[in-house]
Amino acid sequence: EPEVTQTPSHQVTQMGQEVILRCVPISNHLYFYWYRQILGQKVEFLVSFYNNEISEKSEIFDDQFSVERPDGSNFTLKIRSTKLEDSAMYFCASSEELAGVYNEQFFGPGTRLTVL
Amino acid sequence: QKEVEQNSGPLSVPEGAIASLNCTYSDRVSQSFFWYRQYSGKSPELIMSIYSNGDKEDGRFTAQLNKASQYVSLLIRDSQPSDSATYLCAVRSSKAAGNKLTFGGGTRVLVKP
């Protein structure tokens, strides 16, 4: 069964450093997403991406964040200068349908980001 | 601020019984509703989606939607210890151009053998 994959599973970085989280969405999916979940808190939407551009982003997704689809399979989230409060699980998700009602999003296993 | 609310639990259920989970949402124009299961330290796993008022059954799971009351529920029949997890309600607004999902805080379910 097709699934979303993410690398690395765990990333430890120093405050102020840049990190890139990688995702391979399900191959025939058209929409890609990043969510994050701080330990013990809700899953929060960061950004959605369609047709090589951002469709929607949250207030969390400020200038320190960027997304890219560098090739036909990978989808990346870059945090330019990490802060302690960026420590969280970051989930990539993808969905098959266009922006319609019948939109089911499937999540990858996540990357645990720890900022020291 | 669009909110999705769930009772945090834990909801303790004997093995074989029915677990009933509830979720309310504030955005009246919400169109799509999802239930995800999340085991500790793992990612959300989609188990049910519902778009129309009424019931939708899939195996041991039944989702119920009442848009007038802004209420969605999940029933788990014949609960098994492997159903012990946190169940997340997620809502997509019709105004969400980018398909943004808003999640509730989740209800922790404990199924006791």
Side-chain angles (χ1 to χ4, degrees), chain A residues 31 33 35 37 42-43 45 48 56 91 99-105 107-108, chain B residues 4 31-32 34 36 38 43-44 46 49 51 92 97-101 103 105:
Chain A
Y31 261 96
Y33 314 86
Y35 292 82
Q37 187 175 30
K42 296 182 180 183
V43 175
F45 171 82
S48 60
E56 187 175 4
F91 297 113
V101 174
Y102 305 104
N103 178 275
E104 294 184 335
Q105 297 181 24
F107 282 66
Chain B
V4 177
Q31 285 191 330
S32 313
F34 306 91
Y36 286 84
Q38 187 175 34
S43 62
L46 181 66
S49 56
Y51 311 104
R92 177 187 172 274
N99 296 326
K100 167 189 172 182
L101 292 181
F103 281 83

PDB file of all heavy atoms in Angstrom, chain A residues 31 33 35 37 42-43 45 48 56 91 99-105 107-108, chain B residues 4 31-32 34 36 38 43-44 46 49 51 92 97-101 103 105:
ATOM      1  N   TYR A  31      -1.736  17.301  -3.746  1.00  0.00           N
ATOM      2  CA  TYR A  31      -1.593  18.296  -2.680  1.00  0.00           C
ATOM      3  C   TYR A  31      -0.622  17.768  -1.629  1.00  0.00           C
ATOM      4  O   TYR A  31      -0.657  16.584  -1.289  1.00  0.00           O
ATOM      5  CB  TYR A  31      -2.948  18.546  -1.997  1.00  0.00           C
ATOM      6  CG  TYR A  31      -3.687  19.773  -2.472  1.00  0.00           C
ATOM      7  CD1 TYR A  31      -4.667  19.671  -3.447  1.00  0.00           C
ATOM      8  CD2 TYR A  31      -3.413  21.019  -1.936  1.00  0.00           C
ATOM      9  CE1 TYR A  31      -5.352  20.796  -3.876  1.00  0.00           C
ATOM     10  CE2 TYR A  31      -4.096  22.151  -2.354  1.00  0.00           C
ATOM     11  CZ  TYR A  31      -5.062  22.031  -3.318  1.00  0.00           C
ATOM     12  OH  TYR A  31      -5.736  23.137  -3.742  1.00  0.00           O
ATOM     13  N   TYR A  33       1.346  18.761   2.260  1.00  0.00           N
ATOM     14  CA  TYR A  33       1.130  19.552   3.470  1.00  0.00           C
ATOM     15  C   TYR A  33       2.242  19.306   4.483  1.00  0.00           C
ATOM     16  O   TYR A  33       2.845  18.237   4.505  1.00  0.00           O
ATOM     17  CB  TYR A  33      -0.192  19.155   4.158  1.00  0.00           C
ATOM     18  CG  TYR A  33      -1.375  19.026   3.229  1.00  0.00           C
ATOM     19  CD1 TYR A  33      -1.625  17.834   2.551  1.00  0.00           C
ATOM     20  CD2 TYR A  33      -2.255  20.089   3.039  1.00  0.00           C
ATOM     21  CE1 TYR A  33      -2.695  17.707   1.703  1.00  0.00           C
ATOM     22  CE2 TYR A  33      -3.336  19.969   2.193  1.00  0.00           C
ATOM     23  CZ  TYR A  33      -3.557  18.770   1.526  1.00  0.00           C
ATOM     24  OH  TYR A  33      -4.621  18.650   0.689  1.00  0.00           O
ATOM     25  N   TYR A  35       2.414  19.690   8.743  1.00  0.00           N
ATOM     26  CA  TYR A  35       1.798  19.952  10.042  1.00  0.00           C
ATOM     27  C   TYR A  35       2.871  19.758  11.101  1.00  0.00           C
ATOM     28  O   TYR A  35       3.873  19.085  10.871  1.00  0.00           O
ATOM     29  CB  TYR A  35       0.652  18.971  10.314  1.00  0.00           C
ATOM     30  CG  TYR A  35      -0.569  19.131   9.440  1.00  0.00           C
ATOM     31  CD1 TYR A  35      -0.619  18.578   8.157  1.00  0.00           C
ATOM     32  CD2 TYR A  35      -1.693  19.821   9.893  1.00  0.00           C
ATOM     33  CE1 TYR A  35      -1.739  18.715   7.355  1.00  0.00           C
ATOM     34  CE2 TYR A  35      -2.825  19.970   9.097  1.00  0.00           C
ATOM     35  CZ  TYR A  35      -2.833  19.407   7.833  1.00  0.00           C
ATOM     36  OH  TYR A  35      -3.959  19.551   7.038  1.00  0.00           O
ATOM     37  N   GLN A  37       3.359  19.039  15.569  1.00  0.00           N
ATOM     38  CA  GLN A  37       2.706  18.733  16.839  1.00  0.00           C
ATOM     39  C   GLN A  37       3.744  18.869  17.937  1.00  0.00           C
ATOM     40  O   GLN A  37       4.666  18.042  18.048  1.00  0.00           O
ATOM     41  CB  GLN A  37       2.108  17.323  16.835  1.00  0.00           C
ATOM     42  CG  GLN A  37       1.277  17.006  18.062  1.00  0.00           C
ATOM     43  CD  GLN A  37       0.610  15.640  17.963  1.00  0.00           C
ATOM     44  OE1 GLN A  37       1.115  14.716  17.337  1.00  0.00           O
ATOM     45  NE2 GLN A  37      -0.564  15.504  18.584  1.00  0.00           N
ATOM     46  N   LYS A  42      -1.972  19.999  20.237  1.00  0.00           N
ATOM     47  CA  LYS A  42      -2.733  19.636  19.044  1.00  0.00           C
ATOM     48  C   LYS A  42      -1.836  19.569  17.817  1.00  0.00           C
ATOM     49  O   LYS A  42      -0.774  20.201  17.767  1.00  0.00           O
ATOM     50  CB  LYS A  42      -3.815  20.686  18.773  1.00  0.00           C
ATOM     51  CG  LYS A  42      -4.887  20.805  19.823  1.00  0.00           C
ATOM     52  CD  LYS A  42      -5.927  21.845  19.408  1.00  0.00           C
ATOM     53  CE  LYS A  42      -7.015  21.988  20.458  1.00  0.00           C
ATOM     54  NZ  LYS A  42      -8.074  22.938  20.026  1.00  0.00           N
ATOM     55  N   VAL A  43      -2.297  18.837  16.826  1.00  0.00           N
ATOM     56  CA  VAL A  43      -1.675  18.879  15.511  1.00  0.00           C
ATOM     57  C   VAL A  43      -2.047  20.225  14.867  1.00  0.00           C
ATOM     58  O   VAL A  43      -3.228  20.594  14.824  1.00  0.00           O
ATOM     59  CB  VAL A  43      -2.168  17.715  14.627  1.00  0.00           C
ATOM     60  CG1 VAL A  43      -1.607  17.827  13.217  1.00  0.00           C
ATOM     61  CG2 VAL A  43      -1.789  16.371  15.260  1.00  0.00           C
ATOM     62  N   PHE A  45      -1.662  22.943  11.558  1.00  0.00           N
ATOM     63  CA  PHE A  45      -1.371  23.130  10.135  1.00  0.00           C
ATOM     64  C   PHE A  45      -0.286  24.183   9.944  1.00  0.00           C
ATOM     65  O   PHE A  45      -0.298  25.230  10.609  1.00  0.00           O
ATOM     66  CB  PHE A  45      -2.653  23.579   9.435  1.00  0.00           C
ATOM     67  CG  PHE A  45      -2.495  24.031   8.015  1.00  0.00           C
ATOM     68  CD1 PHE A  45      -2.435  23.117   6.985  1.00  0.00           C
ATOM     69  CD2 PHE A  45      -2.420  25.385   7.706  1.00  0.00           C
ATOM     70  CE1 PHE A  45      -2.312  23.539   5.670  1.00  0.00           C
ATOM     71  CE2 PHE A  45      -2.302  25.815   6.399  1.00  0.00           C
ATOM     72  CZ  PHE A  45      -2.238  24.891   5.374  1.00  0.00           C
ATOM     73  N   SER A  48       0.131  24.333   2.943  1.00  0.00           N
ATOM     74  CA  SER A  48      -0.245  23.397   1.890  1.00  0.00           C
ATOM     75  C   SER A  48       0.351  23.882   0.572  1.00  0.00           C
ATOM     76  O   SER A  48       0.590  25.081   0.379  1.00  0.00           O
ATOM     77  CB  SER A  48      -1.767  23.265   1.774  1.00  0.00           C
ATOM     78  OG  SER A  48      -2.367  24.499   1.476  1.00  0.00           O
ATOM     79  N   GLU A  56      -1.931  27.689   0.871  1.00  0.00           N
ATOM     80  CA  GLU A  56      -2.400  28.283   2.114  1.00  0.00           C
ATOM     81  C   GLU A  56      -1.294  28.113   3.150  1.00  0.00           C
ATOM     82  O   GLU A  56      -0.567  27.116   3.116  1.00  0.00           O
ATOM     83  CB  GLU A  56      -3.680  27.575   2.585  1.00  0.00           C
ATOM     84  CG  GLU A  56      -4.364  28.192   3.782  1.00  0.00           C
ATOM     85  CD  GLU A  56      -5.677  27.512   4.118  1.00  0.00           C
ATOM     86  OE1 GLU A  56      -6.040  26.504   3.478  1.00  0.00           O
ATOM     87  OE2 GLU A  56      -6.371  28.009   5.033  1.00  0.00           O
ATOM     88  N   PHE A  91       4.995  16.579  10.633  1.00  0.00           N
ATOM     89  CA  PHE A  91       4.357  15.578   9.784  1.00  0.00           C
ATOM     90  C   PHE A  91       4.143  16.136   8.384  1.00  0.00           C
ATOM     91  O   PHE A  91       3.622  17.241   8.214  1.00  0.00           O
ATOM     92  CB  PHE A  91       3.005  15.170  10.347  1.00  0.00           C
ATOM     93  CG  PHE A  91       3.051  14.519  11.695  1.00  0.00           C
ATOM     94  CD1 PHE A  91       2.517  15.146  12.802  1.00  0.00           C
ATOM     95  CD2 PHE A  91       3.613  13.258  11.850  1.00  0.00           C
ATOM     96  CE1 PHE A  91       2.545  14.545  14.052  1.00  0.00           C
ATOM     97  CE2 PHE A  91       3.643  12.648  13.096  1.00  0.00           C
ATOM     98  CZ  PHE A  91       3.123  13.298  14.200  1.00  0.00           C
ATOM     99  N   ALA A  99      -8.761  20.729  -4.499  1.00  0.00           N
ATOM    100  CA  ALA A  99      -9.370  21.370  -3.338  1.00  0.00           C
ATOM    101  C   ALA A  99     -10.879  21.162  -3.352  1.00  0.00           C
ATOM    102  O   ALA A  99     -11.637  22.060  -3.643  1.00  0.00           O
ATOM    103  CB  ALA A  99      -9.045  22.862  -3.329  1.00  0.00           C
ATOM    104  N   GLY A 100     -11.287  19.960  -3.060  1.00  0.00           N
ATOM    105  CA  GLY A 100     -12.706  19.642  -3.042  1.00  0.00           C
ATOM    106  C   GLY A 100     -13.097  19.058  -1.706  1.00  0.00           C
ATOM    107  O   GLY A 100     -12.283  18.915  -0.812  1.00  0.00           O
ATOM    108  N   VAL A 101     -14.358  18.695  -1.602  1.00  0.00           N
ATOM    109  CA  VAL A 101     -14.877  18.173  -0.350  1.00  0.00           C
ATOM    110  C   VAL A 101     -14.212  16.842  -0.006  1.00  0.00           C
ATOM    111  O   VAL A 101     -13.850  16.591   1.125  1.00  0.00           O
ATOM    112  CB  VAL A 101     -16.400  17.995  -0.444  1.00  0.00           C
ATOM    113  CG1 VAL A 101     -16.927  17.309   0.803  1.00  0.00           C
ATOM    114  CG2 VAL A 101     -17.078  19.333  -0.648  1.00  0.00           C
ATOM    115  N   TYR A 102     -14.037  16.010  -1.040  1.00  0.00           N
ATOM    116  CA  TYR A 102     -13.567  14.648  -0.793  1.00  0.00           C
ATOM    117  C   TYR A 102     -12.045  14.617  -0.768  1.00  0.00           C
ATOM    118  O   TYR A 102     -11.401  14.106  -1.677  1.00  0.00           O
ATOM    119  CB  TYR A 102     -14.116  13.705  -1.856  1.00  0.00           C
ATOM    120  CG  TYR A 102     -15.618  13.791  -1.939  1.00  0.00           C
ATOM    121  CD1 TYR A 102     -16.223  14.475  -2.979  1.00  0.00           C
ATOM    122  CD2 TYR A 102     -16.413  13.224  -0.962  1.00  0.00           C
ATOM    123  CE1 TYR A 102     -17.600  14.580  -3.044  1.00  0.00           C
ATOM    124  CE2 TYR A 102     -17.788  13.321  -1.018  1.00  0.00           C
ATOM    125  CZ  TYR A 102     -18.377  14.000  -2.054  1.00  0.00           C
ATOM    126  OH  TYR A 102     -19.723  14.105  -2.116  1.00  0.00           O
ATOM    127  N   ASN A 103     -11.499  15.216   0.284  1.00  0.00           N
ATOM    128  CA  ASN A 103     -10.053  15.363   0.376  1.00  0.00           C
ATOM    129  C   ASN A 103      -9.560  14.630   1.604  1.00  0.00           C
ATOM    130  O   ASN A 103      -9.761  15.100   2.712  1.00  0.00           O
ATOM    131  CB  ASN A 103      -9.697  16.848   0.463  1.00  0.00           C
ATOM    132  CG  ASN A 103      -8.224  17.083   0.604  1.00  0.00           C
ATOM    133  OD1 ASN A 103      -7.689  17.054   1.696  1.00  0.00           O
ATOM    134  ND2 ASN A 103      -7.563  17.283  -0.507  1.00  0.00           N
ATOM    135  N   GLU A 104      -8.956  13.487   1.393  1.00  0.00           N
ATOM    136  CA  GLU A 104      -8.423  12.704   2.505  1.00  0.00           C
ATOM    137  C   GLU A 104      -6.912  12.867   2.532  1.00  0.00           C
ATOM    138  O   GLU A 104      -6.239  12.603   1.523  1.00  0.00           O
ATOM    139  CB  GLU A 104      -8.802  11.229   2.353  1.00  0.00           C
ATOM    140  CG  GLU A 104     -10.294  10.971   2.481  1.00  0.00           C
ATOM    141  CD  GLU A 104     -10.640   9.496   2.429  1.00  0.00           C
ATOM    142  OE1 GLU A 104      -9.853   8.733   1.840  1.00  0.00           O
ATOM    143  OE2 GLU A 104     -11.700   9.105   2.976  1.00  0.00           O
ATOM    144  N   GLN A 105      -6.423  13.272   3.659  1.00  0.00           N
ATOM    145  CA  GLN A 105      -4.990  13.508   3.800  1.00  0.00           C
ATOM    146  C   GLN A 105      -4.353  12.352   4.557  1.00  0.00           C
ATOM    147  O   GLN A 105      -4.832  11.948   5.615  1.00  0.00           O
ATOM    148  CB  GLN A 105      -4.742  14.827   4.536  1.00  0.00           C
ATOM    149  CG  GLN A 105      -5.273  16.024   3.754  1.00  0.00           C
ATOM    150  CD  GLN A 105      -5.026  17.350   4.434  1.00  0.00           C
ATOM    151  OE1 GLN A 105      -4.117  17.495   5.252  1.00  0.00           O
ATOM    152  NE2 GLN A 105      -5.841  18.335   4.085  1.00  0.00           N
ATOM    153  N   PHE A 107      -0.887  10.857   6.330  1.00  0.00           N
ATOM    154  CA  PHE A 107       0.279  11.398   7.020  1.00  0.00           C
ATOM    155  C   PHE A 107       1.473  10.451   6.953  1.00  0.00           C
ATOM    156  O   PHE A 107       1.320   9.225   6.989  1.00  0.00           O
ATOM    157  CB  PHE A 107      -0.059  11.652   8.496  1.00  0.00           C
ATOM    158  CG  PHE A 107      -0.860  12.909   8.720  1.00  0.00           C
ATOM    159  CD1 PHE A 107      -2.154  13.025   8.241  1.00  0.00           C
ATOM    160  CD2 PHE A 107      -0.309  13.982   9.406  1.00  0.00           C
ATOM    161  CE1 PHE A 107      -2.886  14.182   8.434  1.00  0.00           C
ATOM    162  CE2 PHE A 107      -1.041  15.144   9.617  1.00  0.00           C
ATOM    163  CZ  PHE A 107      -2.326  15.246   9.135  1.00  0.00           C
ATOM    164  N   GLY A 108       2.650  11.040   6.881  1.00  0.00           N
ATOM    165  CA  GLY A 108       3.880  10.287   7.022  1.00  0.00           C
ATOM    166  C   GLY A 108       4.178  10.016   8.488  1.00  0.00           C
ATOM    167  O   GLY A 108       3.469  10.496   9.375  1.00  0.00           O
TER     168      GLY A 108
ATOM    169  N   VAL B   4     -12.010  23.269  17.154  1.00  0.00           N
ATOM    170  CA  VAL B   4     -12.538  21.907  17.175  1.00  0.00           C
ATOM    171  C   VAL B   4     -12.284  21.393  18.588  1.00  0.00           C
ATOM    172  O   VAL B   4     -11.140  21.404  19.062  1.00  0.00           O
ATOM    173  CB  VAL B   4     -11.823  21.015  16.134  1.00  0.00           C
ATOM    174  CG1 VAL B   4     -12.337  19.590  16.219  1.00  0.00           C
ATOM    175  CG2 VAL B   4     -12.032  21.586  14.727  1.00  0.00           C
ATOM    176  N   GLN B  31     -17.133  21.535   5.841  1.00  0.00           N
ATOM    177  CA  GLN B  31     -17.723  20.597   4.884  1.00  0.00           C
ATOM    178  C   GLN B  31     -17.275  19.166   5.071  1.00  0.00           C
ATOM    179  O   GLN B  31     -18.000  18.232   4.767  1.00  0.00           O
ATOM    180  CB  GLN B  31     -17.336  21.019   3.465  1.00  0.00           C
ATOM    181  CG  GLN B  31     -18.056  22.205   2.932  1.00  0.00           C
ATOM    182  CD  GLN B  31     -17.796  22.360   1.447  1.00  0.00           C
ATOM    183  OE1 GLN B  31     -16.751  21.980   0.943  1.00  0.00           O
ATOM    184  NE2 GLN B  31     -18.752  22.911   0.735  1.00  0.00           N
ATOM    185  N   SER B  32     -16.036  18.992   5.513  1.00  0.00           N
ATOM    186  CA  SER B  32     -15.451  17.649   5.546  1.00  0.00           C
ATOM    187  C   SER B  32     -14.945  17.371   6.947  1.00  0.00           C
ATOM    188  O   SER B  32     -14.339  18.239   7.583  1.00  0.00           O
ATOM    189  CB  SER B  32     -14.279  17.552   4.558  1.00  0.00           C
ATOM    190  OG  SER B  32     -14.619  18.092   3.315  1.00  0.00           O
ATOM    191  N   PHE B  34     -13.128  14.355   9.613  1.00  0.00           N
ATOM    192  CA  PHE B  34     -12.267  13.170   9.599  1.00  0.00           C
ATOM    193  C   PHE B  34     -11.963  12.734  11.020  1.00  0.00           C
ATOM    194  O   PHE B  34     -11.829  13.550  11.937  1.00  0.00           O
ATOM    195  CB  PHE B  34     -10.941  13.505   8.882  1.00  0.00           C
ATOM    196  CG  PHE B  34     -11.133  14.078   7.501  1.00  0.00           C
ATOM    197  CD1 PHE B  34     -11.236  15.446   7.317  1.00  0.00           C
ATOM    198  CD2 PHE B  34     -11.227  13.257   6.400  1.00  0.00           C
ATOM    199  CE1 PHE B  34     -11.430  15.991   6.060  1.00  0.00           C
ATOM    200  CE2 PHE B  34     -11.421  13.784   5.135  1.00  0.00           C
ATOM    201  CZ  PHE B  34     -11.528  15.157   4.965  1.00  0.00           C
ATOM    202  N   TYR B  36      -9.003  10.567  12.949  1.00  0.00           N
ATOM    203  CA  TYR B  36      -7.679   9.966  12.882  1.00  0.00           C
ATOM    204  C   TYR B  36      -7.399   9.261  14.198  1.00  0.00           C
ATOM    205  O   TYR B  36      -7.816   9.715  15.264  1.00  0.00           O
ATOM    206  CB  TYR B  36      -6.602  11.032  12.660  1.00  0.00           C
ATOM    207  CG  TYR B  36      -6.537  11.614  11.259  1.00  0.00           C
ATOM    208  CD1 TYR B  36      -7.379  12.662  10.878  1.00  0.00           C
ATOM    209  CD2 TYR B  36      -5.624  11.125  10.323  1.00  0.00           C
ATOM    210  CE1 TYR B  36      -7.316  13.200   9.602  1.00  0.00           C
ATOM    211  CE2 TYR B  36      -5.540  11.664   9.041  1.00  0.00           C
ATOM    212  CZ  TYR B  36      -6.388  12.704   8.695  1.00  0.00           C
ATOM    213  OH  TYR B  36      -6.310  13.240   7.432  1.00  0.00           O
ATOM    214  N   GLN B  38      -4.231   8.061  16.629  1.00  0.00           N
ATOM    215  CA  GLN B  38      -2.813   8.350  16.848  1.00  0.00           C
ATOM    216  C   GLN B  38      -2.326   7.558  18.052  1.00  0.00           C
ATOM    217  O   GLN B  38      -2.737   7.821  19.191  1.00  0.00           O
ATOM    218  CB  GLN B  38      -2.573   9.850  17.058  1.00  0.00           C
ATOM    219  CG  GLN B  38      -1.098  10.217  17.131  1.00  0.00           C
ATOM    220  CD  GLN B  38      -0.839  11.711  17.228  1.00  0.00           C
ATOM    221  OE1 GLN B  38      -1.617  12.446  17.829  1.00  0.00           O
ATOM    222  NE2 GLN B  38       0.260  12.167  16.635  1.00  0.00           N
ATOM    223  N   SER B  43       2.295   8.871  14.075  1.00  0.00           N
ATOM    224  CA  SER B  43       1.593   9.876  13.288  1.00  0.00           C
ATOM    225  C   SER B  43       0.094   9.579  13.233  1.00  0.00           C
ATOM    226  O   SER B  43      -0.327   8.442  13.479  1.00  0.00           O
ATOM    227  CB  SER B  43       2.171   9.930  11.875  1.00  0.00           C
ATOM    228  OG  SER B  43       1.985   8.697  11.216  1.00  0.00           O
ATOM    229  N   PRO B  44      -0.722  10.571  12.905  1.00  0.00           N
ATOM    230  CA  PRO B  44      -2.167  10.343  12.746  1.00  0.00           C
ATOM    231  C   PRO B  44      -2.447   9.401  11.579  1.00  0.00           C
ATOM    232  O   PRO B  44      -1.869   9.535  10.505  1.00  0.00           O
ATOM    233  CB  PRO B  44      -2.711  11.742  12.460  1.00  0.00           C
ATOM    234  CG  PRO B  44      -1.696  12.681  13.029  1.00  0.00           C
ATOM    235  CD  PRO B  44      -0.385  12.004  12.805  1.00  0.00           C
ATOM    236  N   LEU B  46      -5.583   7.949   9.282  1.00  0.00           N
ATOM    237  CA  LEU B  46      -6.973   8.192   8.914  1.00  0.00           C
ATOM    238  C   LEU B  46      -7.801   6.916   9.058  1.00  0.00           C
ATOM    239  O   LEU B  46      -7.443   5.866   8.509  1.00  0.00           O
ATOM    240  CB  LEU B  46      -7.045   8.691   7.475  1.00  0.00           C
ATOM    241  CG  LEU B  46      -8.439   9.017   6.944  1.00  0.00           C
ATOM    242  CD1 LEU B  46      -9.039  10.195   7.683  1.00  0.00           C
ATOM    243  CD2 LEU B  46      -8.377   9.312   5.444  1.00  0.00           C
ATOM    244  N   SER B  49     -13.841   9.155   7.219  1.00  0.00           N
ATOM    245  CA  SER B  49     -14.172  10.478   6.714  1.00  0.00           C
ATOM    246  C   SER B  49     -15.685  10.527   6.533  1.00  0.00           C
ATOM    247  O   SER B  49     -16.314   9.512   6.216  1.00  0.00           O
ATOM    248  CB  SER B  49     -13.466  10.758   5.387  1.00  0.00           C
ATOM    249  OG  SER B  49     -13.787   9.758   4.438  1.00  0.00           O
ATOM    250  N   TYR B  51     -18.960  13.342   5.135  1.00  0.00           N
ATOM    251  CA  TYR B  51     -19.223  14.622   4.481  1.00  0.00           C
ATOM    252  C   TYR B  51     -20.698  15.029   4.546  1.00  0.00           C
ATOM    253  O   TYR B  51     -21.023  16.198   4.387  1.00  0.00           O
ATOM    254  CB  TYR B  51     -18.797  14.546   3.015  1.00  0.00           C
ATOM    255  CG  TYR B  51     -17.412  13.993   2.823  1.00  0.00           C
ATOM    256  CD1 TYR B  51     -17.224  12.690   2.368  1.00  0.00           C
ATOM    257  CD2 TYR B  51     -16.286  14.759   3.114  1.00  0.00           C
ATOM    258  CE1 TYR B  51     -15.947  12.178   2.206  1.00  0.00           C
ATOM    259  CE2 TYR B  51     -15.014  14.244   2.950  1.00  0.00           C
ATOM    260  CZ  TYR B  51     -14.852  12.956   2.497  1.00  0.00           C
ATOM    261  OH  TYR B  51     -13.588  12.439   2.333  1.00  0.00           O
ATOM    262  N   ARG B  92     -12.332  20.278   7.924  1.00  0.00           N
ATOM    263  CA  ARG B  92     -11.912  21.143   6.823  1.00  0.00           C
ATOM    264  C   ARG B  92     -13.038  22.111   6.505  1.00  0.00           C
ATOM    265  O   ARG B  92     -14.165  21.720   6.252  1.00  0.00           O
ATOM    266  CB  ARG B  92     -11.577  20.316   5.585  1.00  0.00           C
ATOM    267  CG  ARG B  92     -11.188  21.169   4.378  1.00  0.00           C
ATOM    268  CD  ARG B  92     -11.032  20.343   3.125  1.00  0.00           C
ATOM    269  NE  ARG B  92     -10.837  21.192   1.963  1.00  0.00           N
ATOM    270  CZ  ARG B  92     -11.825  21.735   1.240  1.00  0.00           C
ATOM    271  NH1 ARG B  92     -13.074  21.511   1.532  1.00  0.00           N
ATOM    272  NH2 ARG B  92     -11.537  22.501   0.209  1.00  0.00           N
ATOM    273  N   ALA B  97      -8.936  27.173   1.121  1.00  0.00           N
ATOM    274  CA  ALA B  97      -8.485  27.005  -0.258  1.00  0.00           C
ATOM    275  C   ALA B  97      -7.392  25.967  -0.373  1.00  0.00           C
ATOM    276  O   ALA B  97      -7.262  25.309  -1.392  1.00  0.00           O
ATOM    277  CB  ALA B  97      -7.990  28.353  -0.788  1.00  0.00           C
ATOM    278  N   GLY B  98      -6.611  25.855   0.668  1.00  0.00           N
ATOM    279  CA  GLY B  98      -5.511  24.910   0.646  1.00  0.00           C
ATOM    280  C   GLY B  98      -5.792  23.629   1.389  1.00  0.00           C
ATOM    281  O   GLY B  98      -4.862  22.902   1.712  1.00  0.00           O
ATOM    282  N   ASN B  99      -7.047  23.310   1.642  1.00  0.00           N
ATOM    283  CA  ASN B  99      -7.442  22.075   2.315  1.00  0.00           C
ATOM    284  C   ASN B  99      -6.943  21.969   3.748  1.00  0.00           C
ATOM    285  O   ASN B  99      -6.770  20.859   4.259  1.00  0.00           O
ATOM    286  CB  ASN B  99      -6.963  20.841   1.537  1.00  0.00           C
ATOM    287  CG  ASN B  99      -7.611  20.738   0.182  1.00  0.00           C
ATOM    288  OD1 ASN B  99      -8.766  21.114   0.017  1.00  0.00           O
ATOM    289  ND2 ASN B  99      -6.869  20.249  -0.789  1.00  0.00           N
ATOM    290  N   LYS B 100      -6.728  23.095   4.382  1.00  0.00           N
ATOM    291  CA  LYS B 100      -6.239  23.070   5.764  1.00  0.00           C
ATOM    292  C   LYS B 100      -7.176  22.268   6.657  1.00  0.00           C
ATOM    293  O   LYS B 100      -8.393  22.455   6.623  1.00  0.00           O
ATOM    294  CB  LYS B 100      -6.154  24.501   6.281  1.00  0.00           C
ATOM    295  CG  LYS B 100      -5.955  24.635   7.780  1.00  0.00           C
ATOM    296  CD  LYS B 100      -6.104  26.081   8.204  1.00  0.00           C
ATOM    297  CE  LYS B 100      -6.105  26.218   9.709  1.00  0.00           C
ATOM    298  NZ  LYS B 100      -6.291  27.624  10.120  1.00  0.00           N
ATOM    299  N   LEU B 101      -6.604  21.373   7.460  1.00  0.00           N
ATOM    300  CA  LEU B 101      -7.362  20.665   8.487  1.00  0.00           C
ATOM    301  C   LEU B 101      -7.111  21.313   9.837  1.00  0.00           C
ATOM    302  O   LEU B 101      -5.971  21.631  10.172  1.00  0.00           O
ATOM    303  CB  LEU B 101      -6.947  19.198   8.565  1.00  0.00           C
ATOM    304  CG  LEU B 101      -7.289  18.300   7.382  1.00  0.00           C
ATOM    305  CD1 LEU B 101      -6.815  16.873   7.644  1.00  0.00           C
ATOM    306  CD2 LEU B 101      -8.780  18.315   7.091  1.00  0.00           C
ATOM    307  N   PHE B 103      -7.469  20.506  13.770  1.00  0.00           N
ATOM    308  CA  PHE B 103      -7.583  19.332  14.632  1.00  0.00           C
ATOM    309  C   PHE B 103      -8.072  19.711  16.019  1.00  0.00           C
ATOM    310  O   PHE B 103      -7.744  20.775  16.562  1.00  0.00           O
ATOM    311  CB  PHE B 103      -6.216  18.655  14.782  1.00  0.00           C
ATOM    312  CG  PHE B 103      -5.819  17.809  13.605  1.00  0.00           C
ATOM    313  CD1 PHE B 103      -5.241  18.385  12.484  1.00  0.00           C
ATOM    314  CD2 PHE B 103      -6.022  16.439  13.623  1.00  0.00           C
ATOM    315  CE1 PHE B 103      -4.875  17.615  11.398  1.00  0.00           C
ATOM    316  CE2 PHE B 103      -5.651  15.653  12.545  1.00  0.00           C
ATOM    317  CZ  PHE B 103      -5.081  16.250  11.427  1.00  0.00           C
ATOM    318  N   GLY B 105      -8.019  18.450  20.126  1.00  0.00           N
ATOM    319  CA  GLY B 105      -6.930  18.000  20.981  1.00  0.00           C
ATOM    320  C   GLY B 105      -6.871  16.497  21.175  1.00  0.00           C
ATOM    321  O   GLY B 105      -5.873  15.977  21.695  1.00  0.00           O
TER     322      GLY B 105
END
